[in-house]
Amino acid sequence: MQAQSLPQAEMLAEKTKWLRLVVDQVSDYLFVKDRECRFVFANHAVAEDLGIENASDLLGRTDAEIHSQQLARKYETDELEVMRTGVPKIDFEEFVICQDGRRKWVSSSKFPLRGEDGVIYGLFGISRDITARKRTELLMSGQARILEMIATGRPLPQVLDALLTMIEEQLDGVLGSILLLDEASGRLLHGAAPSLPKAYCDQIHGVEIGPAVGSCGTAAFTGKPVIVDDITTDPLWEPYKALAAPFGLTSCWSTPVISHDRKVLGTFAMYRRSGRIKDVAESQLIADTVRLAAIAIERTRAEERIRFLAGNDMLTGLPNRRELGRKLEALLSEAKLSTSKLAVVFCDVDRFKSVNDNFGHAIGDMVLQIVSERIREVLPDDQLMIRFGGDEFVLVITGDLAELEPLQSLLARIRCVVAEPMQFAGQTFRVTCSMGTAVFPRDGETAELLLQHADTAMYQSKKSGRDTFQFYDRMMSEGSLMDLTLLEEMRVGLEHNQFFLEYQPQFELTSGKLTGLEALVRWNHPRLGRVPPGRFIALAEESGLIGSLGNWVLEEVCRQGRQWRDNGHAPVLLAINVSQRQFSDANLVERVRKTLSANGIEPGYLELEITESLLAENPEMAVARLSDMRAMGVKLAIDDFGTGYSSLSALRRLPLTRLKIDRTFIQNVASDSGDQGIVRAIVSLGRELGLTVIAEGVETAAQKEFLLHSGCECGQGYLLGMPMGAEEIERLLSGGLRSQIHEIAS
C-alpha cells in the first residue's frame, strides 16, 4: 500500500496535515493550552475572530497578549482552576470580544490534558457560537423587564436607559439615543443616551426640529426615518457635523417615535463611530424599540396629565378646588408654627351669569382667564391663588401681606385691575368682583372655618352693592345662632335624641342590585327644624364634639342593623363616615369591636369611610389602625377620592376594599373631558389595586351611562335613591320600593 511505503516522518506529516485541514473546517473554537495558559494549538476559527491571519501565530501567546486585561484574567482564572483540580468545566457561557469589536457569546467546555503518568500537562477547550440564541434570550428578557418597569411606574429616564442598553447589546458598535419632543417649543430634549458622551448630549439638548436638522431633528419634523451613513458629507448634518466630529460619530439612523394617535413623541437614534449604520440595523428590532419607547412615553405623559387634571384648572392653569385643602392646610401649619397671620380671600366675579347669557360661554371663559391673569399680576409670586369653581377664586395670603393695612391695599388693587375695561368682538365692557376675607387665627383656626367665613364675608360684599370687599364679622351671620350657643345645643341634642340617621342606598350599576347603605347624620332642632349638616359638622369637628357624635352614629347604625335582621331581613353593608378626631382615638378599634359584638353584627357588614386628608396626618398610625380594622373583618373605603393628596404608594399599603369617587368629579362628567379622564383613571386605579369603585352624586342618566361605559361598578345619588329613613329602608329591603327605584335608575 502507498501509505505503508512512505517513511514514518512523512506519514506523520501527512496525518498532521489532514488533521489541520479537518479542524480548520470546524466553525467551533478548538484550542490547547499548556500549564502557563499559552496556546500550543488553535484552529482557524479562533485565529479569525481574533484578527490573526495564521493560527500558528497564536502559538506561545497568552490571552493577556490578545484580550483586555479584565477578559484575559477571567479566562486565566477558569483555566487554572480546571488544571489545578483536574475537574473539567462543561457547557458554561462566556463571551469573546472579536477583533472588529463584536461581542460573541459561546458555550464552552474545558478539559484537563493528562499524560500516561496521570500528570496534567495542559488544557483542551472547545467553544460553540451561541450569539444568536443568547441575543434572543437577552432581547426577550430585556423586553419583559422594560414592560414590567413601565407597568410598575418606574421613572421614564430609567425605562429609556434600560431600553437603549438592551439595543446596544443586540447591535454591535451602536450607541443609542432617545430624544423627547416638546410640542410647545418644537424642540428635542434629552431623554436617554447611556453610551453617548454627556458633552454631546448637552449640545443637542434643546435643538429645534426642522427639514434639515441632522438625523433626529429632520426625523421628528417629517415623521419619517432618516438614515445618514456619513455625517461629514450629508447635507442634513452640514450645520451640526462639527458637534459630532469631536466624539468620532460618523453615522446616524434616526426613527421618529409615534404615539397611537400618530403624533411624534420624539426620536430613537443609533450612532456608530465607524462603518455604515445600515450594516447593523435590523428593521424589526428598530420597530419593536420604537414601539416600547412610545408606550413608555405615552404612559408617563398620561400619568402627568392625570396628575395635572386632578390638581389644576384647565381654563386658567391655576391650582383647583381639589388642591385647595392640601395647600391651605400646609400654609396653616406654617402659620401656627410661626404665629403669623394668614388670610383667606373669596373673590367672585359679579353678575357673571349675564356675561355668559349675553356673549356666550366662549367669551365667558375668556373673561375668567383675563380676570385670573389680572389678579395673578397683582399678587406676589409667593402667594397662593386657586380657581375654586365657576366664577369664584380663592386667595391665600401669608406673611406680612396678611396684616391689615397691606391686605386692604392689596384687595383695593385687585378690585381696580379686575374692573379695567375689556374688549371682545368690537365691544367694550367691564366686570367687577366682590371679595370676602377671613383672617387666621381671629376668624378661625381651621381651613373649613376660614373658607366658610370668607365665603360669608364675600356674600356680604354682594349684599352691600358688589364691587367691594369685606372682612368677616360674626355679626354677618345675622338671624342664625352664634357658634357657642349652637355647640351647647348640639350637646343637649345628643342627650335628648334630636339626632337621627337617614340612609342613602348604593346600587350595582349594571344590575340595579342593592349593595349597601351609607348612614347620614341629621339634626332635628326643636326650634330651627332640620339643621343642614354643613352647619353643625364643621363646628362639631372644631370643638371636639365630633367624637361623641361619631360614637353615637356607630352605635345607632349597629342597633338599626340588628333590628332589620330581627325583622327577618338579610344583612346589608352599612357604611359610616369616620372623622379625623374619631380616627385618632386610640380606643376606636376596640369600640368598633365591642359595638359590633353587642349587636350581633358581623364585621363584614360594616364599612368605615375615611378621607384622603386623614391619611396624611400620621400615615404610619393610619396604616396600623386600618390594618387592625381589616383584620377584624371590617370593610374600609376612601371617601371623596381624588380631592385629597394620598400618594399611590401609600394607597398600595392600605388594606382598603372600596374607592368612592367624589361627587365633584361626577357633576360634569357627561360633558367635561377633564373630569372624564380623571374618572377613568380612578376606575383603572381601583381595578389595579383590586378595589370596588363607587361613584357619589349620580344624579342624571347621562352620568350613569358614562360610569357604566367606564367600568365603574357601583353608584349612589339622587338618580338611584334619595336618603331615606329607617322605615323606608325596611320597605326597600322588603322589595316594596325596589321596583320604583330600579325604574328610576334605569
Side-chain angles (χ1 to χ4, degrees):
M1 302 290 292
Q2 185 181 3
Q4 293 175 334
S5 65
L6 290 174
Q8 187 77 15
E10 290 183 13
M11 289 179 62
L12 182 60
E14 187 70 16
K15 289 180 180 179
T16 302
K17 174 183 174 184
W18 281 103
L19 177 62
R20 166 60 67 179
L21 286 172
V22 170
V23 297
D24 281 346
Q25 298 302 310
V26 177
S27 60
D28 295 346
Y29 293 168
L30 299 173
F31 57 90
V32 177
K33 292 183 179 180
D34 63 16
R35 292 285 301 189
E36 281 72 43
C37 298
R38 294 180 301 228
F39 281 99
V40 291
F41 172 81
N43 69 343
H44 179 69
V46 176
E48 182 180 35
D49 279 350
L50 296 179
I52 298 173
E53 187 173 349
N54 296 313
S56 59
D57 292 338
L58 274 172
L59 305 186
R61 299 172 70 177
T62 66
D63 287 308
E65 301 173 58
I66 304 168
H67 299 289
S68 67
Q69 184 179 1
Q70 182 179 5
L71 195 58
R73 189 181 301 117
K74 180 186 180 305
Y75 293 156
E76 183 180 5
T77 300
D78 288 344
E79 292 164 1
L80 289 175
E81 179 70 11
V82 170
M83 290 185 283
R84 183 183 65 81
T85 63
V87 178
K89 192 172 182 181
I90 300 173
D91 289 338
F92 66 96
E93 293 181 357
E94 60 183 353
F95 62 86
V96 176
I97 303 297
C98 299
Q99 187 271 339
D100 58 6
R102 288 181 298 113
R103 175 177 291 201
K104 188 172 182 177
W105 286 92
V106 294
S107 175
S108 296
S109 295
K110 297 181 180 180
F111 305 89
L113 285 179
R114 286 186 172 88
E116 292 181 357
D117 54 2
V119 175
I120 296 175
Y121 291 96
L123 170 144
F124 168 66
I126 180 170
S127 300
R128 173 158 294 173
D129 184 0
I130 59 168
T131 304
R133 188 195 80 194
K134 187 67 177 177
R135 284 184 172 171
T136 300
E137 291 175 358
L138 290 173
L139 181 62
M140 292 178 65
S141 63
Q143 289 175 336
R145 183 177 70 255
I146 289 160
L147 286 171
E148 181 182 3
M149 293 174 73
I150 295 171
T152 55
R154 296 285 289 275
L156 182 61
Q158 290 185 18
V159 177
L160 299 182
D161 260 1
L163 179 59
L164 292 176
T165 300
M166 179 187 74
I167 294 307
E168 290 172 355
E169 288 176 345
Q170 296 292 314
L171 302 176
D172 292 313
V174 162
L175 309 175
S177 166
I178 292 178
L179 297 175
L180 306 176
L181 178 61
D182 177 34
E183 272 192 309
S185 65
R187 295 181 181 276
L188 290 172
L189 308 179
H190 175 71
S195 301
L196 281 174
K198 182 179 182 300
Y200 176 73
C201 295
D202 291 343
Q203 290 184 62
I204 63 173
H205 175 74
V207 66
E208 188 172 0
I209 67 174
V213 184
S215 299
C216 294
T218 308
F221 183 80
T222 62
K224 297 178 181 179
V226 174
I227 305 170
V228 173
D229 267 327
D230 190 346
I231 287 175
T232 61
T233 60
D234 195 289
L236 295 179
W237 276 85
E238 182 59 34
Y240 308 99
K241 62 184 180 182
L243 299 180
F247 308 103
L249 304 175
T250 60
S251 57
C252 179
W253 181 325
S254 184
T255 305
V257 179
I258 307 293
S259 69
H260 72 281
D261 55 356
R262 308 308 301 165
K263 291 183 179 178
V264 175
L265 301 172
T267 60
F268 161 59
M270 301 180 296
Y271 292 86
R272 288 197 78 183
R273 287 195 168 102
S274 63
R276 289 158 44 91
I277 193 66
K278 289 181 182 178
D279 295 339
V280 297
E282 297 182 17
S283 58
Q284 187 56 51
L285 186 58
I286 293 173
D288 291 343
T289 302
V290 169
R291 191 176 301 112
L292 282 173
I295 293 171
I297 296 168
E298 286 196 277
R299 170 69 181 262
T300 298
R301 292 188 177 178
E303 290 174 347
E304 291 171 351
R305 179 72 169 169
I306 290 171
R307 285 194 292 270
F308 182 82
L309 289 174
N312 292 83
D313 171 52
M314 290 298 295
L315 181 65
T316 62
L318 295 170
N320 62 19
R321 183 173 184 169
R322 297 150 197 159
E323 281 286 281
L324 178 59
R326 180 179 69 84
K327 293 181 180 291
L328 181 52
E329 288 288 357
L331 292 172
L332 271 174
S333 297
E334 293 178 12
K336 289 174 183 177
L337 289 173
S338 62
T339 65
S340 60
K341 288 187 177 179
L342 175 149
V344 174
V345 181
F346 251 102
C347 178
D348 184 273
V349 179
D350 296 326
R351 298 186 177 91
F352 182 70
K353 184 176 183 299
S354 65
V355 175
N356 276 335
D357 291 344
N358 292 312
F359 295 95
H361 288 281
I363 296 297
D365 286 348
M366 294 177 68
V367 168
L368 291 176
Q369 288 175 322
I370 292 173
V371 168
S372 68
E373 290 168 3
R374 289 178 176 180
I375 296 175
R376 187 72 263 181
E377 287 175 1
V378 172
L379 201 64
D381 291 339
D382 59 348
Q383 305 298 319
L384 177 63
M385 181 177 179
I386 299 277
R387 186 183 178 197
F388 195 71
D391 59 350
E392 288 185 323
F393 300 91
V394 172
L395 315 179
V396 182
I397 311 301
T398 57
D400 294 340
L401 199 55
E403 297 291 339
L404 180 59
E405 289 189 10
L407 185 56
Q408 286 178 322
S409 177
L410 173 65
L411 297 179
R413 292 201 306 275
I414 291 174
R415 173 181 171 271
C416 290
V417 298
V418 170
E420 291 176 0
M422 299 181 183
Q423 288 188 337
F424 293 110
Q427 299 186 58
T428 300
F429 65 92
R430 73 187 188 102
V431 297
T432 59
C433 66
S434 297
M435 292 176 283
T437 303
V439 178
F440 166 85
R442 183 192 70 199
D443 300 327
E445 296 189 1
T446 67
E448 291 80 6
L449 275 179
L450 288 170
L451 288 167
Q452 177 185 332
H453 292 163
D455 191 38
T456 300
M458 184 270 291
Y459 277 105
Q460 187 63 38
S461 294
K462 287 191 175 293
K463 290 178 183 178
S464 301
R466 299 182 175 86
D467 192 20
T468 186
F469 57 86
Q470 296 278 350
F471 284 81
Y472 175 75
D473 188 308
R474 285 180 178 269
M475 297 306 294
M476 288 178 177
S477 303
E478 184 178 353
S480 66
L481 294 172
M482 297 296 288
D483 285 348
L484 289 177
T485 303
L486 190 63
L487 181 60
E488 182 59 32
E489 292 183 347
M490 284 179 65
R491 292 191 176 97
V492 174
L494 276 171
E495 294 173 0
H496 292 81
N497 298 320
Q498 294 174 8
F499 289 87
F500 64 99
L501 294 180
E502 290 185 332
Y503 302 85
Q504 186 166 32
Q506 301 167 336
F507 294 96
E508 190 174 274
L509 292 176
T510 53
S511 66
K513 176 184 175 183
L514 180 71
T515 60
L517 301 168
E518 181 180 5
L520 305 170
V521 65
R522 302 290 188 249
W523 184 12
N524 189 16
H525 193 282
R527 181 166 53 84
L528 300 174
R530 288 185 63 151
V531 180
R535 182 72 182 93
F536 66 85
I537 292 293
L539 183 60
E541 182 77 51
E542 181 187 18
S543 66
L545 191 61
I546 195 70
S548 299
L549 184 60
N551 293 338
W552 175 84
V553 170
L554 172 65
E555 292 170 2
E556 178 61 15
V557 162
C558 292
R559 184 202 65 78
Q560 184 61 66
R562 182 190 63 190
Q563 182 174 326
W564 285 330
R565 183 200 61 193
D566 290 345
N567 291 346
H569 301 294
V572 64
L573 182 68
L574 301 170
I576 63 173
N577 291 281
V578 177
S579 71
Q580 188 163 339
R581 284 180 179 268
Q582 190 179 8
F583 188 76
S584 300
D585 184 356
N587 297 317
L588 177 63
V589 176
E590 189 58 27
R591 178 175 290 108
V592 170
R593 189 192 313 276
K594 288 182 177 179
T595 305
L596 289 169
S597 177
N599 290 279
I601 302 293
E602 294 182 18
Y605 289 105
L606 178 68
E607 182 181 80
L608 303 184
E609 296 184 0
I610 59 175
T611 61
E612 289 183 88
S613 57
L614 181 150
L615 303 174
E617 286 292 318
N618 189 338
E620 297 303 322
M621 181 274 286
V623 171
R625 191 149 297 168
L626 292 175
S627 297
D628 290 342
M629 289 288 189
R630 195 71 192 98
M632 191 195 313
V634 172
K635 289 184 167 60
L636 303 168
I638 286 282
D639 194 19
D640 300 338
F641 184 75
T643 62
Y645 42 93
S646 57
S647 68
L648 297 184
S649 59
L651 284 178
R652 288 181 181 277
R653 298 171 55 201
L654 299 175
L656 302 173
T657 52
R658 286 208 294 184
L659 292 184
K660 297 192 73 177
I661 306 176
D662 185 63
R663 65 182 65 250
T664 58
F665 295 106
I666 305 302
Q667 183 177 2
N668 299 314
V669 76
S671 57
D672 188 310
S673 60
D675 284 344
Q676 289 174 355
I678 293 173
V679 168
R680 289 194 188 98
I682 293 175
V683 171
S684 176
L685 173 64
R687 190 178 296 114
E688 288 287 331
L689 296 177
L691 307 178
T692 301
V693 180
I694 179 170
E696 298 180 295
V698 182
E699 298 179 357
T700 69
Q703 293 170 349
K704 180 191 171 191
E705 189 68 18
F706 175 82
L707 292 169
L708 278 169
H709 282 102
S710 299
C712 182
E713 298 101 321
C714 301
Q716 71 180 83
Y718 289 171
L719 176 72
L720 307 173
M722 302 280 286
M724 308 176 191
E727 293 182 0
E728 290 177 290
I729 291 296
E730 187 154 10
R731 288 174 56 203
L732 174 63
L733 296 174
S734 301
L737 290 178
R738 188 179 303 274
S739 60
Q740 179 184 350
I741 290 177
H742 183 71
E743 182 179 348
I744 294 172
S746 300

